[in-house]
Amino acid sequence: MSDLIPLAHAHCLPRRGHEHRLPPARIAELMPQLPGWELAENGHALTKTFTFADHYRTMAFVNALAFIAHREDHHPDLGVHYDRCVVRFSTHDVGGLSENDFICAAKAEGLAE
C-alpha cells in the first residue's frame, strides 16, 4: 500500500503468511491515522467500541460494516449490543496485523462519521 493513498480509499489484498505481518514500527506509523483505535492482544489486533443513540443506529452501522467487509473480503469480529458495537480486526492468516486491518478500520471509522 502506498502511503500516498489514504487508508479509507485503499483496498484489501489477499495476505497469507507471516511475511505480511506488520512490524511494530509500521504499526506505530499507521496508528495515528485511526483515532480512538487501540492495539489489543499484545499488538495482534485493532479494537474500537463505537457508541450509538439506539439499537437501530447500531444495527445500521453493523450492516454497513458487513457490506464493506464482504466487498473487501476482510471480516472483523463484532460484539453487537443495544447502543454500541465492539469492532476487532486481525489477520488470522498472518498471525497478527496486516495492512488490511488498518484499511478496514479506516473504512469503519468513515462509516461512524
Side-chain angles (χ1 to χ4, degrees), residues 10-60:
H11 293 285
C12 294
L13 299 171
R15 310 262 185 214
R16 293 198 185 330
H18 292 290
E19 66 273 11
H20 293 287
R21 183 176 21 193
L22 294 177
R26 182 66 176 145
I27 291 170
E29 289 174 3
L30 293 171
M31 284 302 293
Q33 297 181 53
L34 299 175
W37 287 80
E38 298 177 355
L39 290 174
E41 302 167 29
N42 293 322
H44 286 89
L46 288 172
T47 64
K48 184 172 181 177
T49 300
F50 292 89
T51 57
F52 303 95
D54 54 39
H55 186 69
Y56 174 79
R57 287 176 178 83
T58 302
M59 292 310 298

